[in-house]
Amino acid sequence: MKNKPRKKHTAPNTDKKRILITGNEAIGEAAVRAGCGFYAGYPITPQNELTAYMARRMSQERKIFIQAESEIAAINMVFGASSAGARSMTTSSSPGISLKQEGISYLAGAQLPAVIANVMRGGPGLGNIAPSQSDYFQATKGGGHGDYHLIALAPASVQECFDLTQLAFDLSDRYRNPAIILLDAFLGQMAEPIKITHQDTKTQGRKVKKEWALTGAAGRSPNVIRSFFLKDPGLEEHNLILQKKYERIKSKERRFEAFDIEDSDIIFVSYGIPFRIARQAAQRLRSEGIRAGLFRPVTLWPYPYQELEKACARKKAVFVFELSYGQMLEDVKLALGKDIPIYFYGRGGGGVFTEGELIRFAKTKIKSKP
Amino acid sequence: MKKKYTLPRSLKNVPTHYCGGCGHGIVHRIVAEVVDELKLREKIVAIAPVGCAVVAYDYWDFDCSESAHGRALAVATGIKRVRPDLIVFTYQGDGDLASIGTAETIHAANRGENLTCIFINNAVYGMTGGQMAPTTLVGQKTTTTPWGRSPEKGDGFPLKITEILAGLPGVAYAERTSVAKAQDVLKTKKAIKTAFINQIENKGFSIVEVLSQCPTIWGMTPNQAVKWVKEEMTKTFPLGRIK
Ligand SMILES: Cc1ncc(C[n+]2csc(CCOP(=O)(O)OP(=O)(O)O)c2C)c(N)n1
Ligand code: SF4
């Protein structure tokens, strides 16, 4: 057996302009620098590096790290820490995220902020540990029980793993709503140079006043954290408050990225790492005279329907590429209706397409068009 | 003459939804009295379970959180770890603590979380209408053991989780009490007070299991119910300090 020394997770040296770090580690470092006060996780590949990173970094910052007995315990610990006012996080991968769903629904119902990251692997069931995007429905259409939404953010680079994690903490506090970062195993495990921002871990997360938090009823009437409403107010009344909040998020927080839209005939829609494969494919097609534009939702919920519709107006065709059998595809169809042909190419179960595959697919579809 | 019976500051002056003769109301009052006596009202946080006591926060006049069914000790862990200055306790039924939440219970205890756990054992699932609980006695009839709990038929044995927990190094204190007679109510109060003082003194995990009557589900009058606790339940669940 090789006896390699354990990797040291010390605070990255931020004097340097850029540091080399994996997506998983970038999420951890961003959380620490966002003032995350509590992290609980349970081992699962391909996000183990993140839990290990937090084990060291959180204790260096004198913050709380717990290796929980299960994902269920982890999300409920997060529920507790958040109800006491701390910025709180848990991370996992697909099967573990399934186990957290009841707790996530409770967080949403009780209007508690929390940040969850899902480093997606192949499913269903135990599946495999290869990259996948097959938890899109789970993250954006519910996942747990009840009428609720998570703010869902999808990074496409290690830099974005860092930036969107910080954004997730801010949005989650602002709206008192759990936020999820959805990435695939590729992005979690690959390293890229990134720029670290938000240096002051002490002040981060203190900006938002949490008057609702459980801090002991000194000089105020008692606070109660709950998602159970039999009467005063009834559940319907409470749910309408949530719905109003979701409408506010929908109108204010749609984020996306678009390239080469104006002069293009066709549009590629994709998110996460597959977007980068699609971008390569689009560039090669351009050199062959086929003008493809690119659209990437950054928030998967709220989905940038209006922006996508605008980007695809008067285009000849839209291509959707996903590491699933067509989940985001449904949102693209919702945005675009039936007026424009939508072609889908996806692979699941850990299969990853190459740019060549996408190019071939796009060309056959373009050719076969009357 | 001295006024002997007043409403504790930590108890709201409202009628509860508990059935007549239910043990929950008694234990709620005991908790409120202890919180007052230890002057904890402004720094205590309670975690209510999913079970008959789910709306305990309607009765206690201090900060409370609800938790998913069985997860009270995980929620309590999260709160206590980020706010060790607060005094945090869970209040859980037998289904909550010893069935669906067994893992959370054992692991919070095993980590030696500095928490107080009040465990209401009424040998049935009250809130859902009287199914078998992990603590249901052998032979006891419930809606899901219509001919009585039968280990031979695969229903299992009454789970003595407090004894199991007492075997863990992280557990500082474990005691089983009842509220079936006046002396036992006083003993329960003493035990709950000890469990809170332990937390104040950073001693680790303390659990008080209270045998609690549920006349409604047991199909008894309140008097029959206290008799059943004294004569039947205590045979399987003997009272006294376990650790
Ligand atoms: C995940 C989940 N499963 C089942 C239930 C339904 N349920 C509510 S309370 C309860 C059992 C309560 O029994 P116990 O914990 O013994 O408390 P009691 O009502 O007797 O005080 C169950 C099974 C639920 N709310 N959530
Ligand atoms: S059902 Fe039993 S435990 Fe529930 S309130 Fe009635 S008597 Fe109490």
Side-chain angles (χ1 to χ4, degrees):
Chain A
M1 217 172 78
K2 269 192 226 156
N3 202 2
K4 274 204 258 168
R6 293 245 179 98
K7 200 167 161 191
K8 278 217 179 85
H9 300 305
T10 43
N13 177 2
T14 47
D15 301 341
K16 280 194 275 174
K17 281 231 164 64
R18 283 171 175 274
I19 59 154
L20 189 68
I21 191 169
T22 67
N24 282 335
E25 291 166 339
I27 290 173
E29 188 57 31
V32 169
R33 283 169 193 263
C36 178
F38 183 90
Y39 175 96
Y42 184 85
I44 184 168
T45 310
Q47 66 84 56
N48 287 323
E49 303 79 12
L50 179 41
T51 310
Y53 191 84
M54 292 307 262
R56 275 181 191 268
R57 286 290 285 127
M58 290 295 273
S59 21
Q60 284 167 349
E61 298 286 331
R62 298 189 189 286
K63 302 284 174 60
I64 307 299
F65 167 90
I66 299 182
Q67 178 175 330
E69 60 270 31
S70 69
E71 289 87 350
I72 299 175
I75 192 76
N76 286 289
M77 288 174 185
V78 162
F79 184 102
S82 175
S83 70
R87 283 194 152 181
S88 309
M89 179 186 229
T90 182
T91 64
S92 188
S93 177
S94 310
I97 298 289
S98 293
L99 271 183
K100 290 182 196 293
Q101 292 302 329
E102 183 197 27
I104 292 175
S105 167
Y106 270 71
L107 285 164
Q111 299 206 70
L112 287 176
V115 175
I116 302 138
N118 180 1
V119 187
M120 290 180 282
R121 57 188 253 179
L126 193 53
N128 62 19
I129 56 169
S132 173
Q133 294 183 313
S134 50
D135 303 343
Y136 180 94
F137 284 154
Q138 187 194 51
T140 62
K141 310 288 175 192
H145 58 287
D147 275 309
Y148 75 91
H149 280 289
L150 299 179
I151 297 168
L153 302 165
S157 65
V158 175
Q159 180 70 55
E160 260 194 344
C161 285
F162 186 89
D163 296 342
L164 293 184
T165 299
Q166 300 221 316
L167 179 67
F169 277 102
D170 289 342
L171 293 179
S172 161
D173 271 353
R174 187 175 315 148
Y175 293 103
R176 288 186 61 185
N177 202 68
I180 189 163
I181 300 153
L182 209 60
L183 65 157
D184 60 72
F186 254 140
L187 189 49
Q189 307 221 314
M190 73 188 212
E192 288 182 324
I194 71 164
K195 204 167 156 33
I196 297 274
T197 47
H198 274 193
Q199 309 288 349
D200 190 356
T201 57
K202 299 280 179 305
T203 57
Q204 284 306 312
R206 300 241 175 105
K207 288 181 283 194
V208 184
K209 270 226 164 100
K210 299 183 173 174
E211 276 128 1
W212 44 265
L214 304 178
T215 54
R220 58 159 171 78
S221 51
N223 282 342
V224 174
I225 300 292
R226 63 175 184 170
S227 65
F228 183 62
F229 296 92
L230 275 185
K231 52 179 191 297
D232 308 330
L235 181 60
E236 187 169 19
E237 206 176 312
H238 173 69
N239 277 355
L240 289 174
I241 294 171
L242 296 184
Q243 290 303 316
K244 245 196 190 152
K245 173 170 84 177
Y246 299 147
E247 287 308 318
R248 229 171 44 239
I249 300 174
K250 277 198 237 172
S251 74
K252 288 200 170 145
E253 307 297 348
R254 297 190 308 270
R255 288 171 167 78
F256 70 101
E257 206 177 54
F259 299 98
D260 304 330
I261 298 290
E262 246 147 60
D263 72 338
S264 61
D265 300 313
I266 57 174
I267 304 287
F268 288 176
V269 189
S270 203
Y271 70 98
I273 284 297
F275 171 79
R276 293 170 58 167
I277 304 170
R279 189 164 63 192
Q280 299 286 337
Q283 276 163 8
R284 265 177 53 191
L285 282 171
R286 251 175 206 271
S287 66
E288 298 175 29
I290 299 171
R291 287 176 308 188
L294 289 149
F295 187 93
R296 174 172 79 93
V298 173
T299 49
L300 301 180
W301 195 91
Y303 197 84
Y305 293 112
Q306 293 90 324
E307 292 76 10
L308 178 62
E309 193 186 356
K310 210 171 139 216
C312 297
R314 290 180 302 279
K315 302 298 178 198
K316 294 201 176 96
V318 172
F319 290 79
V320 180
F321 302 126
E322 288 179 77
L323 294 184
S324 80
Y325 297 107
Q327 300 197 9
M328 182 187 68
L329 174 65
E330 296 196 358
D331 280 322
V332 174
K333 286 181 174 170
L334 263 180
L336 303 181
K338 291 192 168 157
D339 299 341
I340 178 166
I342 299 169
Y343 302 111
F344 173 74
Y345 188 82
R347 288 182 62 178
V352 179
F353 40 67
T354 60
E355 56 185 86
E357 253 172 290
L358 300 189
I359 289 168
R360 275 194 300 282
F361 177 77
K363 280 183 175 169
T364 40
K365 291 298 165 193
I366 293 166
K367 255 190 225 147
S368 67
K369 250 192 88 184
Chain B
M1 227 169 77
K2 211 175 142 217
K3 198 168 168 187
K4 280 253 172 78
Y5 191 89
T6 51
L7 187 75
R9 171 68 186 86
S10 294
L11 207 58
K12 290 181 190 164
N13 192 8
V14 292
T16 72
H17 72 289
Y18 298 118
C19 311
C22 173
H24 276 304
I26 306 171
V27 185
H28 278 23
R29 186 186 163 95
I30 293 173
V31 169
E33 285 178 2
V34 169
V35 167
D36 284 359
E37 286 164 24
L38 296 176
K39 299 193 168 41
L40 296 177
R41 201 189 76 84
E42 298 192 341
K43 56 181 214 168
I44 200 150
V45 175
I47 318 297
V50 174
C52 279
V54 58
V55 290
Y57 45 73
D58 283 349
Y59 311 134
W60 284 320
D61 202 8
F62 42 72
D63 277 10
C64 295
S65 176
E66 123 197 332
S67 65
H69 190 25
R71 317 303 169 203
L73 281 164
V75 172
T77 297
I79 297 175
K80 183 73 183 182
R81 288 289 193 103
V82 298
R83 287 295 304 269
D85 54 318
L86 298 175
I87 300 299
V88 183
F89 75 99
T90 66
Y91 182 100
Q92 303 174 257
D94 39 55
D96 198 79
L97 179 135
S99 186
I100 194 168
T102 315
E104 283 75 6
T105 304
I106 289 184
H107 286 280
N110 194 48
R111 287 190 302 267
E113 296 293 344
N114 190 27
L115 294 169
T116 302
C117 173
I118 297 167
F119 166 32
I120 306 297
N121 177 0
N122 60 11
V124 286
Y125 282 19
M127 194 195 206
T128 40
Q131 297 81 358
M132 179 180 75
T135 50
T136 292
L137 304 190
V138 171
Q140 187 186 338
K141 286 185 182 158
T142 69
T143 62
T144 51
T145 52
W147 297 281
R149 183 178 198 170
S150 162
E152 293 77 34
K153 278 207 287 185
D155 297 334
F157 293 90
L159 185 62
K160 296 180 159 192
I161 195 151
T162 307
E163 276 85 347
I164 295 175
L165 296 177
L168 302 174
V171 174
Y173 172 65
E175 176 146 6
R176 185 181 293 115
T177 65
S178 99
V179 285
K181 59 177 195 244
Q183 296 98 302
D184 286 346
V185 170
L186 292 177
K187 281 187 193 159
T188 299
K189 181 168 173 183
K190 200 167 152 243
I192 288 177
K193 201 167 196 171
T194 306
F196 277 119
I197 291 171
N198 285 347
Q199 188 179 157
I200 295 166
E201 294 175 352
N202 289 313
K203 288 201 176 141
F205 192 87
S206 295
I207 179 166
V208 179
E209 173 179 341
V210 184
L211 305 186
S212 174
Q213 45 278 16
C214 173
T216 306
I217 301 288
W218 296 351
M220 297 179 191
T221 65
N223 277 337
Q224 288 168 329
V226 290
K227 196 161 169 252
W228 194 76
V229 171
K230 285 186 271 189
E231 291 175 5
E232 296 302 323
M233 266 188 100
T234 49
K235 278 192 214 150
T236 302
F237 297 108
L239 303 183
R241 185 150 179 179
I242 300 165
K243 187 176 190 177

